[in-house]
Amino acid sequence: MAVEELQSIIMRCQILEEQDFQEEDFGLFQLAGQRCIDEGHIEQLLEIIQNEKNKVIIKNMGWNLVGPVVRCLLWNKEDEKRKYYFLMLDLLVKLCNPKELLLGLLELIEEPSGKQISQIILLLLQPLQTVIQKLHNNKAYSVGLALSTLWSQLSLLPVPYSEEQIQTDDYGLCQCCKALIEFTKPFVEEVINDKENSLENENEKLKDELLKFCFKSLKCPLLTAQFFEQSKEAGNDPLRCFASEIIGFLSAIGHPFPKIIFNHGRKKRTWDYLEFEEEEDKQLADSMASLAYLVFVQGISIDQLPMVLSPSYLLQFNMAHIEVFLQRTEESVFSKGVDLLENGLLRIEDNSLLHQYLEIKSFLTVPQGLVKVMTLCPIETLRKKSLAMLQLYINKLDSQGKYTLFRCLLNTSNHSGVEAFIIQNIKNQIDVSLKRTHNKWFTGPQLISLLDLVLFLPEGAETDLLQNSDRIMASLNLLRYLVIKDNEKDNQTGLWTELAKIENNFLKPLHTGLNMSKAHYEAEIKNSQENSQEVQKSKDLCSVTVGGEEIPNMPPEMQLKVLHSALFTFDLIESVLARVEELIEIKTKSTTEENIGIK
């Protein structure tokens, strides 16, 4: 019945001129064709499509059958008639109006979600390529529209983050990346083979569309993609292969990556004539950062880089990209920033990075970004690596650069552990200055200015000593070191002229704070012990308030352990404080006796 209905519609249309086809004819043809497919009359439908007499009708109306055929291929994977569906799809692609087919195929690609995205893309890439090749007018627009649609769908797929996930490729992203390269190659070759260079010709427009696609691909999936050492030489990492091909495309269409990345950020870029949408332009920084990582860390096409570039220049160039990585919250992304920083720093000799570089914004925001990773990242290996990179960065700076960075991080980190780390580094620099060569940045007035940020309590005696214990212990150890190493008579560090201020701003408030904190925690321990006797009867949980904040509910024995641990910390601080004051007294007394002896 469905076949007869379709043949009836075709016979009526055969006597009409092409321009006389009505909208109603298209609708009836689609419905009848759909019924033929649904009822399994595939071979009869193929005969109708192949009939030379129906050539004009199929050219204008046949594209309406592509959707039903594609859905059958997706849903009926075990159907014995699949070969007929493939044959029909090939015929429709060959015979139908390419402009209508292009729009129809792109609509089909946009329809699915989840795992079906990759299935339909892999099915339709070859037909889509064939259709675009038949479009001689506005080919660049068609290529751009197709690549944009494909990329939008692929960007919805999760990027695999482990070797196992890459191998299983559950969502088909890796397969799609490989297929997308094959889809794009003919258009890249078309650009290469064209000898005209006018910005107005179709070839230049095609080049622009390919350039946009490469930028988008560098952002997704390559920005978040993980690459693995063992896959480097083997070539079995599909995402690495995709990255290599994308960088190759850039060079092939006249935009080799050195030209792109070294122009990025300048007032006039080589691609400024491209009409990027505002959102795309904002995402360009992500693409450039991704490209820098692929080249410098993964070594893809690094042989194209000029060999004359200095390590400090390369670091300066990459700092903006490192900043982009560290601003992201995904571990897979900001870890690349840490790797890229390591790559740049290892090329530079210790103490050779000039302090003037810190006048560039990224040279201060990058270490601040490392601090965020060190303190907020849930992955221990990344926290440790960020700490190692911050230390490496400090090692590379000259003395004034170290001094400037220390001041910056002491003022911005707001983390006791980080501040303790910086104070330890200050101590190390003072030690170098006292033992080897005099350094004005870590002795005398400059050092005193820095010590003002170290040897004080932010809120005086009211400072939360437990919260700031790491910083306080580091500060006391630094002060102890200064008292031991610098005699009052020499006073190389300037400590002894500032001793009264240090006692008033740091030592005395610390004494008062310790007394208050110990009394408070001892009272809490007493209360907790009394409460625990009652709680044991009910086997319930209890709560304790410390410093105005309630400790989360926990068993009484655990709370007592926490409170005793706090008291132990206070005792430790108190013992170091006592030792510092003892050393000060010994030193000042010794100096006084020497002065009396001289007189």
Side-chain angles (χ1 to χ4, degrees):
M1 179 66 181
V3 176
E4 288 80 4
E5 185 180 340
L6 180 61
Q7 288 176 331
S8 173
I9 295 166
I10 286 175
M11 288 178 63
R12 185 162 59 82
C13 291
Q14 281 177 340
I15 61 174
L16 298 174
E17 294 294 328
E18 187 175 343
Q19 63 271 21
D20 293 330
F21 291 156
Q22 301 295 314
E23 188 175 338
E24 181 185 1
D25 298 326
F26 286 84
L28 291 171
F29 178 88
Q30 182 178 5
L31 287 172
Q34 175 78 61
R35 284 185 60 195
C36 287
I37 293 171
D38 292 343
E39 293 176 14
H41 306 304
I42 305 302
E43 295 175 53
Q44 294 93 320
L45 185 56
L46 273 171
E47 289 178 10
I48 293 171
I49 292 171
Q50 290 173 308
N51 191 328
E52 186 69 21
K53 293 179 182 179
N54 303 330
K55 184 176 179 180
V56 174
I57 297 170
I58 298 302
K59 176 189 173 185
N60 287 276
M61 301 185 189
W63 63 272
N64 284 305
L65 298 178
V66 171
V69 171
V70 167
R71 292 182 189 99
C72 284
L73 285 168
L74 286 175
W75 296 339
N76 305 318
K77 295 186 178 179
E78 305 300 326
D79 197 322
E80 58 184 15
K81 295 182 179 180
R82 279 178 68 80
K83 63 179 180 180
Y84 296 114
Y85 293 136
F86 277 115
L87 178 57
M88 188 179 298
L89 180 60
D90 288 343
L91 281 170
L92 292 172
V93 168
K94 179 181 177 182
L95 299 173
C96 293
N97 183 325
K99 184 178 178 181
E100 299 292 347
L101 261 180
L102 173 66
L103 298 176
L105 290 172
L106 293 180
E107 284 179 7
L108 287 169
I109 288 171
E110 287 179 315
E111 279 182 10
S113 59
K115 294 183 178 181
Q116 285 193 337
I117 291 175
S118 60
Q119 294 171 10
I120 200 163
I121 285 177
L122 293 170
L123 177 63
L124 295 184
L125 271 180
Q126 183 60 55
L128 187 61
Q129 185 188 70
T130 303
V131 168
I132 294 175
Q133 295 283 35
K134 292 167 68 176
L135 287 165
H136 300 295
N137 295 325
N138 294 323
K139 180 180 279 188
Y141 172 79
S142 301
V143 171
L145 184 62
L147 288 174
S148 178
T149 303
L150 290 164
W151 181 85
S152 295
Q153 285 296 95
L154 285 180
S155 66
L156 300 175
L157 296 177
V159 179
Y161 60 85
S162 68
E163 288 185 273
E164 183 182 352
Q165 287 187 350
I166 287 174
Q167 289 169 2
T168 55
D169 195 22
D170 286 340
Y171 284 84
L173 177 67
C174 297
Q175 294 178 69
C176 285
C177 286
K178 183 178 180 181
L180 194 53
I181 291 298
E182 296 305 315
F183 171 84
T184 312
K185 275 182 180 177
F187 308 116
V188 174
E189 290 167 4
E190 194 170 321
V191 169
I192 297 170
N193 295 332
D194 190 273
K195 302 300 180 184
E196 295 179 37
N197 293 311
S198 168
L199 290 177
E200 302 299 324
N201 64 42
E202 182 69 16
N203 188 67
E204 200 66 32
K205 292 178 183 177
L206 179 56
K207 184 191 293 187
D208 295 348
E209 294 299 339
L210 291 170
L211 183 59
K212 287 183 184 179
F213 165 69
C214 289
F215 283 151
K216 286 182 174 181
S217 298
L218 287 167
K219 177 177 172 58
C220 182
L222 294 176
L223 184 70
T224 54
Q226 297 295 289
F227 305 95
F228 303 96
E229 290 294 328
Q230 50 267 49
S231 302
K232 248 182 189 179
E233 301 300 328
N236 58 354
D237 183 343
L239 293 177
R240 182 180 175 81
C241 292
F242 181 67
S244 183
E245 293 285 358
I246 290 295
I247 294 175
F249 285 169
L250 287 171
S251 296
I253 62 177
H255 291 281
F257 80 84
K259 177 182 173 183
I260 289 177
I261 55 181
F262 290 127
N263 275 280
H264 178 60
R266 295 184 179 179
K267 290 184 179 179
K268 183 169 177 60
R269 297 186 302 227
T270 54
W271 59 85
D272 268 347
Y273 58 85
L274 289 183
E275 295 180 1
F276 284 110
E277 295 178 10
E278 185 179 355
E279 186 61 28
E280 288 176 333
D281 198 40
K282 289 178 183 176
Q283 294 175 354
L284 196 58
D286 287 339
S287 300
M288 293 298 106
S290 178
L291 179 58
Y293 171 82
L294 291 169
V295 172
F296 290 99
V297 178
Q298 292 299 318
I300 298 175
S301 299
I302 197 168
D303 55 333
Q304 294 182 31
L305 273 180
M307 299 298 291
V308 296
L309 300 174
S310 70
S312 57
Y313 176 80
L314 289 175
L315 179 65
Q316 178 185 346
F317 157 73
N318 275 325
M319 271 306 214
H321 303 313
I322 296 166
E323 182 181 15
V324 168
F325 280 124
L326 294 180
Q327 285 172 347
R328 297 289 291 258
T329 55
E330 309 97 312
E331 288 91 350
S332 61
V333 180
F334 64 65
S335 65
K336 291 184 177 181
V338 178
D339 291 340
L340 186 55
L341 178 61
E342 180 181 31
N343 180 274
L345 291 175
L346 289 176
R347 303 169 189 266
I348 295 174
E349 292 183 11
D350 286 357
N351 307 307
S352 67
L353 191 61
L354 300 177
H355 62 272
Q356 286 89 344
Y357 281 106
L358 293 178
E359 295 173 10
I360 302 170
K361 175 175 169 281
S362 58
F363 275 78
L364 285 177
T365 54
V366 163
Q368 289 173 323
L370 288 175
V371 167
K372 287 183 180 177
V373 178
M374 287 159 49
T375 56
L376 300 176
C377 178
I379 300 175
E380 184 182 7
T381 53
L382 279 178
R383 292 198 305 273
K384 287 183 175 179
K385 183 161 187 180
S386 296
L387 176 63
M389 286 308 101
L390 182 55
Q391 185 63 65
L392 187 61
Y393 184 55
I394 291 169
N395 295 346
K396 301 303 175 183
L397 288 166
D398 64 15
S399 294
Q400 187 173 347
K402 289 181 175 72
Y403 180 89
T404 303
L405 182 62
F406 294 159
R407 291 190 71 92
C408 172
L409 294 181
L410 284 172
N411 282 316
T412 60
S413 67
N414 296 316
H415 188 279
S416 179
V418 174
E419 290 165 355
F421 170 76
I422 297 302
I423 292 167
Q424 178 61 42
N425 269 276
I426 293 171
K427 175 178 171 288
N428 294 342
Q429 292 307 308
I430 296 170
D431 190 60
V432 170
S433 182
L434 292 178
K435 287 180 178 177
R436 299 178 195 171
T437 55
H438 178 77
N439 182 337
K440 74 171 187 176
W441 295 102
F442 293 97
T443 54
Q446 298 291 355
L447 175 59
I448 292 302
S449 175
L450 191 58
L451 291 180
D452 286 341
L453 298 175
V454 175
L455 302 177
F456 86 109
L457 293 180
E459 297 171 39
E462 301 294 326
T463 300
D464 186 335
L465 301 186
L466 197 59
Q467 188 76 23
N468 289 275
S469 60
D470 289 340
R471 174 201 170 102
I472 291 168
M473 284 296 292
S475 299
L476 285 171
N477 282 325
L478 171 58
L479 183 55
R480 178 173 59 178
Y481 168 84
L482 292 172
V483 172
I484 292 171
K485 292 294 183 180
D486 190 17
N487 294 318
E488 188 173 358
K489 185 170 66 173
D490 299 330
N491 198 22
Q492 295 181 64
T493 61
L495 166 73
W496 298 100
T497 53
E498 299 294 320
L499 190 57
K501 183 170 74 172
I502 293 170
E503 287 179 341
N504 288 329
N505 292 345
F506 185 53
L507 301 180
K508 289 180 181 177
L510 183 54
H511 261 300
T512 306
L514 282 168
N515 291 334
M516 292 166 56
S517 297
K518 288 179 72 175
H520 177 70
Y521 275 80
E522 285 167 354
E524 287 295 344
I525 287 173
K526 184 178 179 181
N527 291 336
S528 181
Q529 287 172 336
E530 291 173 355
N531 291 337
S532 65
Q533 294 173 1
E534 298 177 10
V535 171
Q536 281 176 358
K537 297 175 183 177
S538 59
K539 294 186 180 179
D540 201 356
L541 299 177
C542 68
S543 63
V544 173
T545 301
V546 175
E549 295 185 10
E550 190 174 286
I551 297 178
N553 285 339
M554 59 178 72
E557 60 274 12
M558 183 63 72
Q559 287 202 342
L560 277 171
K561 190 174 179 180
V562 170
L563 294 169
H564 279 294
S565 176
L567 270 184
F568 175 78
T569 300
F570 298 143
D571 288 340
L572 192 61
I573 293 173
E574 193 170 42
S575 68
V576 178
L577 174 58
R579 179 58 179 157
V580 168
E581 291 179 327
E582 180 185 357
L583 287 169
I584 291 172
E585 184 179 352
I586 292 170
K587 278 293 186 85
T588 51
K589 184 178 179 182
S590 174
T591 304
T592 303
E593 289 175 352
E594 284 181 17
N595 290 337
I596 292 172
I598 291 170
K599 289 178 182 179

